[in-house]
Amino acid sequence: MRFFKPTINPDNALEVWGLRKVYTSGGKSLSKEALKGIDLTIPKGSFFALLGPNGAGKSTFINILAGLVMKTAGEAKVWGYDIIKDMRAARRCIGVVPQELNLDAFFTPREVLDLQAGLFGIPEKSRRTDEILEAVGLTDMANAYARSLSGGMRRRLLVGKAMVHSPPVLILDEPSAGVDVDLRRQLWSHVKALNSNGTTVLLTTHYLEEAEAMCDTIGIINHGQLIACENTPDLLGRLDSKQMVITVDRDLDAVPNTLAAFATEIGDSRTLQISFPPSRVNAGQVLAAINDADLGIVDVVTREADLEDIFVNLTHADNMTGKVQASK
């Protein structure tokens, strides 16, 4: 089999229109609609995070793109190739790191990567086995049986396995689960380098701080619907909220009148917890109100809304209303 190289260079790495998936049951159980008409476009070169609670539809979405699950309705393209009409080309343009540790226990990491390269028709002289083993931190274990690897090592081997054919689109489904901090940093350093060199990355993760730090665009899926899809700064700006925890120099029995304009609570006897919208109020105004109450400031801690706040706010609102909250 000749090694495949894409013959087109599209503007978008992934394009999805009206994608639906219904799991039917032959028994008395009701059918389950896992995806409810997803529309999503991911530009070439993006580092995109797809977030959602367990059971939201993330894995179904990924498995449809990878050809592991048949869609019920809608269209999808990977690197410009339709996943049904151009199935072989679409699958060769994508590398998937699954959640499950699906490795043969009696293969070594080197054998796993060489076998995967062979399945994609990559000639021996063009294989990057040693480079990939080093990138995922498995050079020292290259000739050990997979059954002897730790869970984190096996997950890193799956990342390497997905990269053997240099796909223009790399999908990482919870890639850092069970990986220690140092190795996680090494893994992300390599993935970011791939992205910088043009590889489009689609990430699902429950480590929201990773998505916030690395991804330029974030989509949130809940109950099979895309409820948000925005670039990261815009999404983080949705919650116009900042908190200040101020420790003062004497005990308080009540919130001072000068702070009546702010959402203020007394923590312990000398701590004030103040919430305010930074688009309309600045920290200096809060501190001035403390000064007007004739209180001395001992310590100040500030906290702005982060991706976890946004995620909880959007998914909770969707659970309560059942309505799509998308902004695309």
Side-chain angles (χ1 to χ4, degrees), residues 210-262:
E210 289 182 344
E212 182 175 347
M214 295 188 298
C215 298
D216 51 65
T217 310
I218 295 174
I220 298 177
I221 189 172
N222 198 23
H223 298 302
Q225 296 178 308
L226 193 67
I227 61 173
C229 185
E230 300 176 21
N231 65 61
T232 303
D234 287 349
L235 185 63
L236 293 175
R238 275 197 179 207
L239 283 187
D240 188 17
S241 176
K242 188 171 185 175
Q243 293 180 335
M244 295 181 71
V245 179
I246 301 175
T247 304
V248 296
D249 59 355
R250 64 174 185 269
D251 292 344
L252 298 169
D253 296 323
V255 175
N257 292 332
T258 58
L259 293 170
F262 311 110

Side-chain angles (χ1 to χ4, degrees), residues 20-23 32-35 60 64 69-72:
R20 293 182 65 240
K21 176 59 184 178
V22 178
Y23 291 102
K32 167 69 174 179
E33 188 175 17
L35 296 179
T60 295
I64 289 174
V69 171
M70 294 298 294
K71 62 184 176 66
T72 301

Side-chain angles (χ1 to χ4, degrees), residues 2-71:
R2 187 175 61 85
F3 178 41
F4 172 83
K5 292 185 179 180
T7 58
I8 58 178
N9 187 24
D11 292 330
N12 298 314
L14 295 172
E15 296 175 299
V16 173
W17 305 273
L19 192 64
R20 293 182 65 240
K21 176 59 184 178
V22 178
Y23 291 102
T24 58
S25 174
K28 296 181 179 180
S29 301
L30 296 176
S31 297
K32 167 69 174 179
E33 188 175 17
L35 296 179
K36 303 175 181 178
I38 298 289
D39 294 329
L40 179 62
T41 299
I42 300 179
K44 178 177 59 180
S46 293
F47 202 136
F48 186 94
L50 184 64
L51 309 179
N54 289 331
K58 303 185 301 296
S59 292
T60 295
F61 179 81
I62 288 172
N63 287 335
I64 289 174
L65 295 178
L68 300 176
V69 171
M70 294 298 294
K71 62 184 176 66

Side-chain angles (χ1 to χ4, degrees), residues 116-227:
Q116 187 76 357
L119 292 174
F120 277 96
I122 303 173
E124 289 191 24
K125 63 181 181 180
S126 301
R127 295 177 188 175
R128 302 179 300 117
T129 302
D130 289 334
E131 175 190 336
I132 293 172
L133 286 169
E134 182 178 359
V136 296
L138 290 176
T139 299
D140 293 341
M141 302 295 290
N143 298 310
Y145 285 131
R147 68 173 184 270
S148 68
L149 303 180
S150 68
M153 290 178 179
R154 295 181 192 187
R155 190 163 298 281
R156 283 183 281 134
L157 180 54
L158 287 177
V159 174
K161 185 179 175 183
M163 299 191 309
V164 297
H165 58 297
S166 303
V169 180
L170 182 63
I171 295 182
L172 307 172
D173 194 3
E174 300 287 348
S176 55
V179 178
D180 66 53
V181 174
D182 287 338
L183 295 176
R184 187 183 301 170
R185 288 176 179 170
Q186 181 181 358
L187 172 62
W188 288 131
S189 176
H190 186 70
V191 171
K192 285 192 286 187
L194 287 173
N195 180 244
S196 297
N197 290 327
T199 300
T200 302
V201 179
L202 170 59
L203 166 71
T204 76
T205 180
H206 287 296
Y207 296 105
L208 300 187
E209 67 276 9
E210 289 182 344
E212 182 175 347
M214 295 188 298
C215 298
D216 51 65
T217 310
I218 295 174
I220 298 177
I221 189 172
N222 198 23
H223 298 302
Q225 296 178 308
L226 193 67
I227 61 173

Side-chain angles (χ1 to χ4, degrees), residues 243-250 252 268 270-274 286-287 290 295-302:
Q243 293 180 335
M244 295 181 71
V245 179
I246 301 175
T247 304
V248 296
D249 59 355
R250 64 174 185 269
L252 298 169
D268 57 39
R270 293 195 175 193
T271 301
L272 291 165
Q273 299 174 353
I274 304 170
V286 177
L287 296 176
I290 296 287
L295 294 171
I297 297 175
V298 176
D299 188 30
V300 178
V301 177
T302 62

